[in-house]
PDB file of all heavy atoms in Angstrom:
ATOM      1  N   MET R  20      11.281 -15.973  10.227  1.00 87.00           N
ATOM      2  CA  MET R  20      10.432 -15.717   9.071  1.00 87.00           C
ATOM      3  C   MET R  20       9.619 -17.030   8.817  1.00 87.00           C
ATOM      4  O   MET R  20       8.395 -16.997   8.594  1.00 87.00           O
ATOM      5  CB  MET R  20      11.224 -15.181   7.936  1.00 87.00           C
ATOM      6  CG  MET R  20      10.271 -14.955   6.709  1.00 87.00           C
ATOM      7  SD  MET R  20      11.164 -14.346   5.202  1.00 87.00           S
ATOM      8  CE  MET R  20      12.058 -15.842   4.730  1.00 87.00           C
ATOM      9  N   LYS R  21      10.420 -18.155   8.636  1.00 87.00           N
ATOM     10  CA  LYS R  21       9.839 -19.461   8.325  1.00 87.00           C
ATOM     11  C   LYS R  21       8.933 -19.948   9.330  1.00 87.00           C
ATOM     12  O   LYS R  21       7.941 -20.811   8.995  1.00 87.00           O
ATOM     13  CB  LYS R  21      10.923 -20.388   7.825  1.00 87.00           C
ATOM     14  CG  LYS R  21      11.559 -19.950   6.626  1.00 87.00           C
ATOM     15  CD  LYS R  21      12.642 -20.991   6.183  1.00 87.00           C
ATOM     16  CE  LYS R  21      13.457 -20.488   4.915  1.00 87.00           C
ATOM     17  NZ  LYS R  21      14.504 -21.391   4.594  1.00 87.00           N
ATOM     18  N   ASN R  22       9.164 -19.698  10.597  1.00 92.00           N
ATOM     19  CA  ASN R  22       8.459 -20.373  11.736  1.00 92.00           C
ATOM     20  C   ASN R  22       7.409 -19.589  12.377  1.00 92.00           C
ATOM     21  O   ASN R  22       6.424 -20.139  12.920  1.00 92.00           O
ATOM     22  CB  ASN R  22       9.479 -20.923  12.747  1.00 92.00           C
ATOM     23  CG  ASN R  22      10.267 -22.169  12.240  1.00 92.00           C
ATOM     24  OD1 ASN R  22       9.713 -23.234  12.163  1.00 92.00           O
ATOM     25  ND2 ASN R  22      11.524 -21.961  11.941  1.00 92.00           N
ATOM     26  N   LEU R  23       7.595 -18.248  12.400  1.00 92.00           N
ATOM     27  CA  LEU R  23       6.738 -17.369  13.217  1.00 92.00           C
ATOM     28  C   LEU R  23       5.927 -16.271  12.426  1.00 92.00           C
ATOM     29  O   LEU R  23       5.409 -15.432  13.119  1.00 92.00           O
ATOM     30  CB  LEU R  23       7.631 -16.718  14.344  1.00 92.00           C
ATOM     31  CG  LEU R  23       8.315 -17.752  15.406  1.00 92.00           C
ATOM     32  CD1 LEU R  23       9.051 -16.930  16.431  1.00 92.00           C
ATOM     33  CD2 LEU R  23       7.208 -18.573  15.989  1.00 92.00           C
ATOM     34  N   THR R  24       5.939 -16.376  11.226  1.00 89.00           N
ATOM     35  CA  THR R  24       5.326 -15.301  10.386  1.00 89.00           C
ATOM     36  C   THR R  24       3.831 -15.423  10.625  1.00 89.00           C
ATOM     37  O   THR R  24       3.003 -14.552  10.977  1.00 89.00           O
ATOM     38  CB  THR R  24       5.572 -15.400   8.923  1.00 89.00           C
ATOM     39  OG1 THR R  24       6.960 -15.004   8.744  1.00 89.00           O
ATOM     40  CG2 THR R  24       4.646 -14.412   8.073  1.00 89.00           C
ATOM     41  N   ALA R  25       3.216 -16.714  10.502  1.00 91.00           N
ATOM     42  CA  ALA R  25       1.760 -16.944  10.701  1.00 91.00           C
ATOM     43  C   ALA R  25       1.353 -16.586  12.195  1.00 91.00           C
ATOM     44  O   ALA R  25       0.378 -16.041  12.463  1.00 91.00           O
ATOM     45  CB  ALA R  25       1.411 -18.315  10.315  1.00 91.00           C
ATOM     46  N   THR R  26       2.369 -16.958  13.097  1.00 94.00           N
ATOM     47  CA  THR R  26       2.070 -16.620  14.508  1.00 94.00           C
ATOM     48  C   THR R  26       1.932 -15.114  14.666  1.00 94.00           C
ATOM     49  O   THR R  26       1.007 -14.671  15.380  1.00 94.00           O
ATOM     50  CB  THR R  26       3.312 -17.139  15.258  1.00 94.00           C
ATOM     51  OG1 THR R  26       3.490 -18.543  15.057  1.00 94.00           O
ATOM     52  CG2 THR R  26       3.085 -16.871  16.825  1.00 94.00           C
ATOM     53  N   LEU R  27       2.879 -14.342  14.153  1.00 90.00           N
ATOM     54  CA  LEU R  27       2.801 -12.879  14.222  1.00 90.00           C
ATOM     55  C   LEU R  27       1.441 -12.314  13.666  1.00 90.00           C
ATOM     56  O   LEU R  27       0.850 -11.469  14.189  1.00 90.00           O
ATOM     57  CB  LEU R  27       3.927 -12.177  13.564  1.00 90.00           C
ATOM     58  CG  LEU R  27       4.005 -10.731  13.638  1.00 90.00           C
ATOM     59  CD1 LEU R  27       4.455 -10.339  15.019  1.00 90.00           C
ATOM     60  CD2 LEU R  27       4.818 -10.094  12.615  1.00 90.00           C
ATOM     61  N   LEU R  28       1.040 -12.873  12.469  1.00 90.00           N
ATOM     62  CA  LEU R  28      -0.127 -12.395  11.823  1.00 90.00           C
ATOM     63  C   LEU R  28      -1.379 -12.624  12.708  1.00 90.00           C
ATOM     64  O   LEU R  28      -2.371 -11.707  12.654  1.00 90.00           O
ATOM     65  CB  LEU R  28      -0.384 -13.031  10.423  1.00 90.00           C
ATOM     66  CG  LEU R  28       0.744 -12.704   9.413  1.00 90.00           C
ATOM     67  CD1 LEU R  28       0.466 -13.661   8.188  1.00 90.00           C
ATOM     68  CD2 LEU R  28       0.742 -11.358   9.086  1.00 90.00           C
ATOM     69  N   VAL R  29      -1.383 -13.708  13.479  1.00 93.00           N
ATOM     70  CA  VAL R  29      -2.519 -13.871  14.445  1.00 93.00           C
ATOM     71  C   VAL R  29      -2.493 -12.736  15.426  1.00 93.00           C
ATOM     72  O   VAL R  29      -3.561 -12.154  15.708  1.00 93.00           O
ATOM     73  CB  VAL R  29      -2.362 -15.149  15.237  1.00 93.00           C
ATOM     74  CG1 VAL R  29      -3.289 -15.298  16.420  1.00 93.00           C
ATOM     75  CG2 VAL R  29      -2.607 -16.421  14.259  1.00 93.00           C
ATOM     76  N   GLY R  30      -1.306 -12.329  15.941  1.00 91.00           N
ATOM     77  CA  GLY R  30      -1.194 -11.175  16.769  1.00 91.00           C
ATOM     78  C   GLY R  30      -1.639  -9.884  16.279  1.00 91.00           C
ATOM     79  O   GLY R  30      -2.347  -9.080  16.891  1.00 91.00           O
ATOM     80  N   ILE R  31      -1.373  -9.717  14.945  1.00 87.00           N
ATOM     81  CA  ILE R  31      -1.767  -8.496  14.294  1.00 87.00           C
ATOM     82  C   ILE R  31      -3.397  -8.467  14.197  1.00 87.00           C
ATOM     83  O   ILE R  31      -3.961  -7.417  14.395  1.00 87.00           O
ATOM     84  CB  ILE R  31      -1.207  -8.333  12.835  1.00 87.00           C
ATOM     85  CG1 ILE R  31       0.282  -8.202  12.967  1.00 87.00           C
ATOM     86  CG2 ILE R  31      -1.822  -7.320  12.000  1.00 87.00           C
ATOM     87  CD1 ILE R  31       1.005  -8.350  11.587  1.00 87.00           C
ATOM     88  N   GLY R  32      -4.001  -9.581  13.830  1.00 88.00           N
ATOM     89  CA  GLY R  32      -5.425  -9.639  13.807  1.00 88.00           C
ATOM     90  C   GLY R  32      -6.113  -9.438  15.104  1.00 88.00           C
ATOM     91  O   GLY R  32      -7.108  -8.767  15.185  1.00 88.00           O
ATOM     92  N   VAL R  33      -5.485  -9.820  16.200  1.00 91.00           N
ATOM     93  CA  VAL R  33      -6.130  -9.644  17.564  1.00 91.00           C
ATOM     94  C   VAL R  33      -5.871  -8.268  18.072  1.00 91.00           C
ATOM     95  O   VAL R  33      -6.832  -7.686  18.589  1.00 91.00           O
ATOM     96  CB  VAL R  33      -5.548 -10.793  18.443  1.00 91.00           C
ATOM     97  CG1 VAL R  33      -6.015 -10.467  19.890  1.00 91.00           C
ATOM     98  CG2 VAL R  33      -5.906 -12.204  18.083  1.00 91.00           C
ATOM     99  N   ALA R  34      -4.527  -7.854  17.906  1.00 87.00           N
ATOM    100  CA  ALA R  34      -4.231  -6.587  18.768  1.00 87.00           C
ATOM    101  C   ALA R  34      -4.256  -5.336  17.868  1.00 87.00           C
ATOM    102  O   ALA R  34      -4.360  -4.311  18.543  1.00 87.00           O
ATOM    103  CB  ALA R  34      -2.780  -6.786  19.263  1.00 87.00           C
ATOM    104  N   TYR R  35      -4.228  -5.468  16.624  1.00 83.00           N
ATOM    105  CA  TYR R  35      -4.144  -4.269  15.803  1.00 83.00           C
ATOM    106  C   TYR R  35      -5.258  -4.063  14.792  1.00 83.00           C
ATOM    107  O   TYR R  35      -5.360  -2.959  14.193  1.00 83.00           O
ATOM    108  CB  TYR R  35      -2.761  -4.257  15.109  1.00 83.00           C
ATOM    109  CG  TYR R  35      -1.583  -4.087  15.974  1.00 83.00           C
ATOM    110  CD1 TYR R  35      -0.907  -5.195  16.485  1.00 83.00           C
ATOM    111  CD2 TYR R  35      -1.075  -2.838  16.343  1.00 83.00           C
ATOM    112  CE1 TYR R  35       0.212  -5.105  17.162  1.00 83.00           C
ATOM    113  CE2 TYR R  35       0.047  -2.718  17.095  1.00 83.00           C
ATOM    114  CZ  TYR R  35       0.648  -3.843  17.571  1.00 83.00           C
ATOM    115  OH  TYR R  35       1.791  -3.685  18.373  1.00 83.00           O
ATOM    116  N   THR R  36      -6.085  -5.019  14.547  1.00 82.00           N
ATOM    117  CA  THR R  36      -7.174  -4.944  13.502  1.00 82.00           C
ATOM    118  C   THR R  36      -8.439  -4.970  14.208  1.00 82.00           C
ATOM    119  O   THR R  36      -9.029  -5.885  14.795  1.00 82.00           O
ATOM    120  CB  THR R  36      -7.026  -6.068  12.586  1.00 82.00           C
ATOM    121  OG1 THR R  36      -5.646  -6.258  12.024  1.00 82.00           O
ATOM    122  CG2 THR R  36      -7.957  -5.927  11.389  1.00 82.00           C
ATOM    123  N   ASP R  37      -9.167  -3.707  14.157  1.00 82.00           N
ATOM    124  CA  ASP R  37     -10.517  -3.516  14.701  1.00 82.00           C
ATOM    125  C   ASP R  37     -11.506  -3.638  13.560  1.00 82.00           C
ATOM    126  O   ASP R  37     -11.740  -2.721  12.812  1.00 82.00           O
ATOM    127  CB  ASP R  37     -10.612  -2.212  15.383  1.00 82.00           C
ATOM    128  CG  ASP R  37     -11.846  -1.995  16.185  1.00 82.00           C
ATOM    129  OD1 ASP R  37     -12.877  -2.693  15.912  1.00 82.00           O
ATOM    130  OD2 ASP R  37     -11.857  -1.240  17.201  1.00 82.00           O
ATOM    131  N   LEU R  38     -12.179  -4.823  13.490  1.00 84.00           N
ATOM    132  CA  LEU R  38     -13.163  -4.967  12.475  1.00 84.00           C
ATOM    133  C   LEU R  38     -14.406  -4.017  12.604  1.00 84.00           C
ATOM    134  O   LEU R  38     -14.923  -3.664  11.637  1.00 84.00           O
ATOM    135  CB  LEU R  38     -13.637  -6.421  12.534  1.00 84.00           C
ATOM    136  CG  LEU R  38     -14.450  -6.959  11.332  1.00 84.00           C
ATOM    137  CD1 LEU R  38     -13.525  -6.999   9.961  1.00 84.00           C
ATOM    138  CD2 LEU R  38     -14.950  -8.410  11.569  1.00 84.00           C
ATOM    139  N   GLY R  39     -14.673  -3.669  13.819  1.00 82.00           N
ATOM    140  CA  GLY R  39     -15.776  -2.660  14.006  1.00 82.00           C
ATOM    141  C   GLY R  39     -15.530  -1.361  13.362  1.00 82.00           C
ATOM    142  O   GLY R  39     -16.373  -0.780  12.756  1.00 82.00           O
ATOM    143  N   GLN R  40     -14.265  -0.879  13.519  1.00 76.00           N
ATOM    144  CA  GLN R  40     -13.916   0.436  12.919  1.00 76.00           C
ATOM    145  C   GLN R  40     -13.916   0.301  11.383  1.00 76.00           C
ATOM    146  O   GLN R  40     -14.382   1.251  10.722  1.00 76.00           O
ATOM    147  CB  GLN R  40     -12.450   0.771  13.314  1.00 76.00           C
ATOM    148  CG  GLN R  40     -12.412   1.261  14.877  1.00 76.00           C
ATOM    149  CD  GLN R  40     -11.039   1.671  15.267  1.00 76.00           C
ATOM    150  OE1 GLN R  40     -10.119   1.389  14.525  1.00 76.00           O
ATOM    151  NE2 GLN R  40     -10.887   2.344  16.383  1.00 76.00           N
ATOM    152  N   ILE R  41     -13.553  -0.818  10.874  1.00 75.00           N
ATOM    153  CA  ILE R  41     -13.534  -0.978   9.407  1.00 75.00           C
ATOM    154  C   ILE R  41     -14.859  -1.037   8.942  1.00 75.00           C
ATOM    155  O   ILE R  41     -15.203  -0.381   7.984  1.00 75.00           O
ATOM    156  CB  ILE R  41     -12.708  -2.255   9.053  1.00 75.00           C
ATOM    157  CG1 ILE R  41     -11.280  -2.136   9.456  1.00 75.00           C
ATOM    158  CG2 ILE R  41     -12.881  -2.598   7.527  1.00 75.00           C
ATOM    159  CD1 ILE R  41     -10.504  -3.397   9.176  1.00 75.00           C
ATOM    160  N   VAL R  42     -15.829  -1.835   9.539  1.00 78.00           N
ATOM    161  CA  VAL R  42     -17.161  -1.852   9.160  1.00 78.00           C
ATOM    162  C   VAL R  42     -17.935  -0.514   9.215  1.00 78.00           C
ATOM    163  O   VAL R  42     -18.693  -0.110   8.298  1.00 78.00           O
ATOM    164  CB  VAL R  42     -17.942  -2.962   9.987  1.00 78.00           C
ATOM    165  CG1 VAL R  42     -19.426  -2.936   9.637  1.00 78.00           C
ATOM    166  CG2 VAL R  42     -17.297  -4.347   9.632  1.00 78.00           C
ATOM    167  N   SER R  43     -17.671   0.130  10.372  1.00 76.00           N
ATOM    168  CA  SER R  43     -18.459   1.469  10.531  1.00 76.00           C
ATOM    169  C   SER R  43     -18.070   2.474   9.571  1.00 76.00           C
ATOM    170  O   SER R  43     -18.902   3.389   9.281  1.00 76.00           O
ATOM    171  CB  SER R  43     -18.152   1.967  12.029  1.00 76.00           C
ATOM    172  OG  SER R  43     -16.752   2.330  12.106  1.00 76.00           O
ATOM    173  N   ALA R  44     -16.934   2.366   8.926  1.00 69.00           N
ATOM    174  CA  ALA R  44     -16.505   3.497   8.080  1.00 69.00           C
ATOM    175  C   ALA R  44     -17.007   3.172   6.553  1.00 69.00           C
ATOM    176  O   ALA R  44     -16.762   4.015   5.749  1.00 69.00           O
ATOM    177  CB  ALA R  44     -14.937   3.481   8.101  1.00 69.00           C
ATOM    178  N   PHE R  45     -17.592   2.085   6.371  1.00 73.00           N
ATOM    179  CA  PHE R  45     -17.957   1.631   5.006  1.00 73.00           C
ATOM    180  C   PHE R  45     -19.115   2.579   4.473  1.00 73.00           C
ATOM    181  O   PHE R  45     -20.142   2.549   5.057  1.00 73.00           O
ATOM    182  CB  PHE R  45     -18.357   0.255   4.981  1.00 73.00           C
ATOM    183  CG  PHE R  45     -17.259  -0.766   4.539  1.00 73.00           C
ATOM    184  CD1 PHE R  45     -16.530  -1.249   5.562  1.00 73.00           C
ATOM    185  CD2 PHE R  45     -17.104  -1.051   3.330  1.00 73.00           C
ATOM    186  CE1 PHE R  45     -15.442  -2.168   5.272  1.00 73.00           C
ATOM    187  CE2 PHE R  45     -16.009  -1.900   2.900  1.00 73.00           C
ATOM    188  CZ  PHE R  45     -15.219  -2.465   3.873  1.00 73.00           C
ATOM    189  N   SER R  46     -18.818   3.207   3.479  1.00 81.00           N
ATOM    190  CA  SER R  46     -19.737   3.995   2.701  1.00 81.00           C
ATOM    191  C   SER R  46     -19.087   4.017   1.211  1.00 81.00           C
ATOM    192  O   SER R  46     -17.909   3.986   1.138  1.00 81.00           O
ATOM    193  CB  SER R  46     -20.049   5.411   3.174  1.00 81.00           C
ATOM    194  OG  SER R  46     -18.986   6.293   2.936  1.00 81.00           O
ATOM    195  N   GLY R  47     -20.023   4.168   0.291  1.00 86.00           N
ATOM    196  CA  GLY R  47     -19.416   4.102  -1.102  1.00 86.00           C
ATOM    197  C   GLY R  47     -18.340   5.238  -1.327  1.00 86.00           C
ATOM    198  O   GLY R  47     -17.321   4.986  -1.879  1.00 86.00           O
ATOM    199  N   GLN R  48     -18.793   6.486  -0.902  1.00 91.00           N
ATOM    200  CA  GLN R  48     -17.774   7.645  -1.133  1.00 91.00           C
ATOM    201  C   GLN R  48     -16.515   7.414  -0.334  1.00 91.00           C
ATOM    202  O   GLN R  48     -15.380   7.609  -0.922  1.00 91.00           O
ATOM    203  CB  GLN R  48     -18.580   8.888  -0.702  1.00 91.00           C
ATOM    204  CG  GLN R  48     -17.797  10.183  -1.046  1.00 91.00           C
ATOM    205  CD  GLN R  48     -18.495  11.435  -0.521  1.00 91.00           C
ATOM    206  OE1 GLN R  48     -18.851  11.503   0.739  1.00 91.00           O
ATOM    207  NE2 GLN R  48     -18.741  12.434  -1.294  1.00 91.00           N
ATOM    208  N   TYR R  49     -16.600   7.109   0.924  1.00 90.00           N
ATOM    209  CA  TYR R  49     -15.363   6.850   1.763  1.00 90.00           C
ATOM    210  C   TYR R  49     -14.535   5.735   1.273  1.00 90.00           C
ATOM    211  O   TYR R  49     -13.254   5.906   1.190  1.00 90.00           O
ATOM    212  CB  TYR R  49     -15.829   6.698   3.239  1.00 90.00           C
ATOM    213  CG  TYR R  49     -14.753   6.803   4.243  1.00 90.00           C
ATOM    214  CD1 TYR R  49     -14.576   8.126   4.837  1.00 90.00           C
ATOM    215  CD2 TYR R  49     -13.893   5.771   4.598  1.00 90.00           C
ATOM    216  CE1 TYR R  49     -13.620   8.263   5.912  1.00 90.00           C
ATOM    217  CE2 TYR R  49     -12.889   5.997   5.623  1.00 90.00           C
ATOM    218  CZ  TYR R  49     -12.770   7.225   6.211  1.00 90.00           C
ATOM    219  OH  TYR R  49     -11.793   7.331   7.090  1.00 90.00           O
ATOM    220  N   LEU R  50     -15.171   4.584   0.897  1.00 91.00           N
ATOM    221  CA  LEU R  50     -14.505   3.530   0.424  1.00 91.00           C
ATOM    222  C   LEU R  50     -13.740   3.906  -0.850  1.00 91.00           C
ATOM    223  O   LEU R  50     -12.567   3.445  -1.155  1.00 91.00           O
ATOM    224  CB  LEU R  50     -15.401   2.500   0.181  1.00 91.00           C
ATOM    225  CG  LEU R  50     -14.853   1.042   0.113  1.00 91.00           C
ATOM    226  CD1 LEU R  50     -14.098   0.578   1.333  1.00 91.00           C
ATOM    227  CD2 LEU R  50     -15.972  -0.065  -0.303  1.00 91.00           C
ATOM    228  N   LEU R  51     -14.412   4.654  -1.743  1.00 95.00           N
ATOM    229  CA  LEU R  51     -13.857   5.093  -3.045  1.00 95.00           C
ATOM    230  C   LEU R  51     -12.582   5.920  -2.835  1.00 95.00           C
ATOM    231  O   LEU R  51     -11.548   5.708  -3.444  1.00 95.00           O
ATOM    232  CB  LEU R  51     -14.823   5.921  -3.850  1.00 95.00           C
ATOM    233  CG  LEU R  51     -14.280   6.458  -5.130  1.00 95.00           C
ATOM    234  CD1 LEU R  51     -13.835   5.465  -6.111  1.00 95.00           C
ATOM    235  CD2 LEU R  51     -15.404   7.364  -5.825  1.00 95.00           C
ATOM    236  N   LEU R  52     -12.581   6.865  -1.913  1.00 95.00           N
ATOM    237  CA  LEU R  52     -11.382   7.778  -1.530  1.00 95.00           C
ATOM    238  C   LEU R  52     -10.322   6.951  -1.012  1.00 95.00           C
ATOM    239  O   LEU R  52      -9.121   7.197  -1.371  1.00 95.00           O
ATOM    240  CB  LEU R  52     -11.936   8.796  -0.602  1.00 95.00           C
ATOM    241  CG  LEU R  52     -12.795   9.846  -1.171  1.00 95.00           C
ATOM    242  CD1 LEU R  52     -13.419  10.798  -0.073  1.00 95.00           C
ATOM    243  CD2 LEU R  52     -12.127  10.728  -2.253  1.00 95.00           C
ATOM    244  N   VAL R  53     -10.599   6.025  -0.220  1.00 94.00           N
ATOM    245  CA  VAL R  53      -9.513   5.088   0.419  1.00 94.00           C
ATOM    246  C   VAL R  53      -8.911   4.391  -0.722  1.00 94.00           C
ATOM    247  O   VAL R  53      -7.624   4.269  -0.796  1.00 94.00           O
ATOM    248  CB  VAL R  53     -10.028   4.329   1.424  1.00 94.00           C
ATOM    249  CG1 VAL R  53      -8.876   3.220   1.840  1.00 94.00           C
ATOM    250  CG2 VAL R  53     -10.403   5.136   2.710  1.00 94.00           C
ATOM    251  N   GLY R  54      -9.712   3.778  -1.626  1.00 95.00           N
ATOM    252  CA  GLY R  54      -9.276   2.935  -2.757  1.00 95.00           C
ATOM    253  C   GLY R  54      -8.393   3.764  -3.645  1.00 95.00           C
ATOM    254  O   GLY R  54      -7.310   3.216  -4.110  1.00 95.00           O
ATOM    255  N   VAL R  55      -8.834   4.978  -4.117  1.00 97.00           N
ATOM    256  CA  VAL R  55      -7.989   5.827  -5.047  1.00 97.00           C
ATOM    257  C   VAL R  55      -6.593   6.219  -4.446  1.00 97.00           C
ATOM    258  O   VAL R  55      -5.597   6.345  -5.079  1.00 97.00           O
ATOM    259  CB  VAL R  55      -8.739   6.969  -5.545  1.00 97.00           C
ATOM    260  CG1 VAL R  55     -10.012   6.514  -6.392  1.00 97.00           C
ATOM    261  CG2 VAL R  55      -9.117   7.990  -4.536  1.00 97.00           C
ATOM    262  N   THR R  56      -6.699   6.387  -3.023  1.00 97.00           N
ATOM    263  CA  THR R  56      -5.416   6.705  -2.368  1.00 97.00           C
ATOM    264  C   THR R  56      -4.494   5.521  -2.519  1.00 97.00           C
ATOM    265  O   THR R  56      -3.316   5.735  -2.831  1.00 97.00           O
ATOM    266  CB  THR R  56      -5.648   7.017  -0.835  1.00 97.00           C
ATOM    267  OG1 THR R  56      -6.588   8.146  -0.774  1.00 97.00           O
ATOM    268  CG2 THR R  56      -4.366   7.390  -0.226  1.00 97.00           C
ATOM    269  N   VAL R  57      -4.886   4.374  -2.184  1.00 97.00           N
ATOM    270  CA  VAL R  57      -4.028   3.199  -2.295  1.00 97.00           C
ATOM    271  C   VAL R  57      -3.548   2.908  -3.733  1.00 97.00           C
ATOM    272  O   VAL R  57      -2.504   2.579  -3.975  1.00 97.00           O
ATOM    273  CB  VAL R  57      -4.652   1.944  -1.630  1.00 97.00           C
ATOM    274  CG1 VAL R  57      -3.824   0.666  -1.880  1.00 97.00           C
ATOM    275  CG2 VAL R  57      -5.055   2.094  -0.210  1.00 97.00           C
ATOM    276  N   LEU R  58      -4.471   3.096  -4.685  1.00 97.00           N
ATOM    277  CA  LEU R  58      -4.231   2.975  -6.052  1.00 97.00           C
ATOM    278  C   LEU R  58      -3.261   3.937  -6.576  1.00 97.00           C
ATOM    279  O   LEU R  58      -2.288   3.748  -7.245  1.00 97.00           O
ATOM    280  CB  LEU R  58      -5.500   3.120  -6.901  1.00 97.00           C
ATOM    281  CG  LEU R  58      -5.371   3.019  -8.500  1.00 97.00           C
ATOM    282  CD1 LEU R  58      -4.889   1.604  -8.797  1.00 97.00           C
ATOM    283  CD2 LEU R  58      -6.731   3.350  -9.136  1.00 97.00           C
ATOM    284  N   GLY R  59      -3.284   5.272  -6.053  1.00 97.00           N
ATOM    285  CA  GLY R  59      -2.372   6.298  -6.389  1.00 97.00           C
ATOM    286  C   GLY R  59      -0.977   5.948  -5.844  1.00 97.00           C
ATOM    287  O   GLY R  59       0.070   6.151  -6.541  1.00 97.00           O
ATOM    288  N   ALA R  60      -0.950   5.404  -4.679  1.00 97.00           N
ATOM    289  CA  ALA R  60       0.428   4.940  -4.145  1.00 97.00           C
ATOM    290  C   ALA R  60       1.006   3.958  -4.949  1.00 97.00           C
ATOM    291  O   ALA R  60       2.199   3.970  -5.201  1.00 97.00           O
ATOM    292  CB  ALA R  60       0.172   4.377  -2.622  1.00 97.00           C
ATOM    293  N   ILE R  61       0.312   2.988  -5.463  1.00 97.00           N
ATOM    294  CA  ILE R  61       0.683   1.914  -6.380  1.00 97.00           C
ATOM    295  C   ILE R  61       1.204   2.544  -7.688  1.00 97.00           C
ATOM    296  O   ILE R  61       2.409   2.238  -8.107  1.00 97.00           O
ATOM    297  CB  ILE R  61      -0.377   0.823  -6.668  1.00 97.00           C
ATOM    298  CG1 ILE R  61      -0.704   0.125  -5.349  1.00 97.00           C
ATOM    299  CG2 ILE R  61       0.052  -0.111  -7.761  1.00 97.00           C
ATOM    300  CD1 ILE R  61      -1.905  -0.814  -5.616  1.00 97.00           C
ATOM    301  N   ILE R  62       0.382   3.281  -8.287  1.00 97.00           N
ATOM    302  CA  ILE R  62       0.781   3.919  -9.574  1.00 97.00           C
ATOM    303  C   ILE R  62       1.989   4.769  -9.612  1.00 97.00           C
ATOM    304  O   ILE R  62       2.868   4.533 -10.365  1.00 97.00           O
ATOM    305  CB  ILE R  62      -0.471   4.608 -10.212  1.00 97.00           C
ATOM    306  CG1 ILE R  62      -1.631   3.739 -10.442  1.00 97.00           C
ATOM    307  CG2 ILE R  62      -0.068   5.392 -11.522  1.00 97.00           C
ATOM    308  CD1 ILE R  62      -2.889   4.421 -10.930  1.00 97.00           C
ATOM    309  N   GLY R  63       1.969   5.751  -8.586  1.00 97.00           N
ATOM    310  CA  GLY R  63       3.087   6.611  -8.454  1.00 97.00           C
ATOM    311  C   GLY R  63       4.389   5.969  -8.231  1.00 97.00           C
ATOM    312  O   GLY R  63       5.394   6.255  -8.834  1.00 97.00           O
ATOM    313  N   SER R  64       4.417   5.088  -7.312  1.00 97.00           N
ATOM    314  CA  SER R  64       5.696   4.431  -6.950  1.00 97.00           C
ATOM    315  C   SER R  64       6.158   3.464  -8.044  1.00 97.00           C
ATOM    316  O   SER R  64       7.335   3.261  -8.189  1.00 97.00           O
ATOM    317  CB  SER R  64       5.437   3.658  -5.581  1.00 97.00           C
ATOM    318  OG  SER R  64       4.441   2.711  -5.609  1.00 97.00           O
ATOM    319  N   ALA R  65       5.266   2.813  -8.702  1.00 97.00           N
ATOM    320  CA  ALA R  65       5.503   1.940  -9.760  1.00 97.00           C
ATOM    321  C   ALA R  65       6.159   2.662 -10.862  1.00 97.00           C
ATOM    322  O   ALA R  65       7.242   2.232 -11.519  1.00 97.00           O
ATOM    323  CB  ALA R  65       4.377   1.114 -10.294  1.00 97.00           C
ATOM    324  N   LEU R  66       5.581   3.742 -11.354  1.00 97.00           N
ATOM    325  CA  LEU R  66       6.130   4.573 -12.451  1.00 97.00           C
ATOM    326  C   LEU R  66       7.414   5.203 -12.151  1.00 97.00           C
ATOM    327  O   LEU R  66       8.402   5.087 -12.870  1.00 97.00           O
ATOM    328  CB  LEU R  66       5.048   5.743 -12.815  1.00 97.00           C
ATOM    329  CG  LEU R  66       3.727   5.208 -13.464  1.00 97.00           C
ATOM    330  CD1 LEU R  66       2.833   6.386 -13.694  1.00 97.00           C
ATOM    331  CD2 LEU R  66       4.095   4.503 -14.791  1.00 97.00           C
ATOM    332  N   VAL R  67       7.504   5.840 -10.973  1.00 97.00           N
ATOM    333  CA  VAL R  67       8.851   6.447 -10.618  1.00 97.00           C
ATOM    334  C   VAL R  67       9.879   5.360 -10.307  1.00 97.00           C
ATOM    335  O   VAL R  67      11.055   5.545 -10.685  1.00 97.00           O
ATOM    336  CB  VAL R  67       8.630   7.375  -9.431  1.00 97.00           C
ATOM    337  CG1 VAL R  67      10.004   8.003  -9.029  1.00 97.00           C
ATOM    338  CG2 VAL R  67       7.695   8.558  -9.747  1.00 97.00           C
TER     339      VAL R  67
END
């Protein structure tokens, strides 16, 4: 954890994060729906 976390995050950025897919999906409506889903996960799990 102390020595290789940043190392692993580099791998996540290279191998698992497609910036093109993220950019192409951007629209106000779509972004709003993704945002409220994540917000709902936060609220529901925090309350329960």
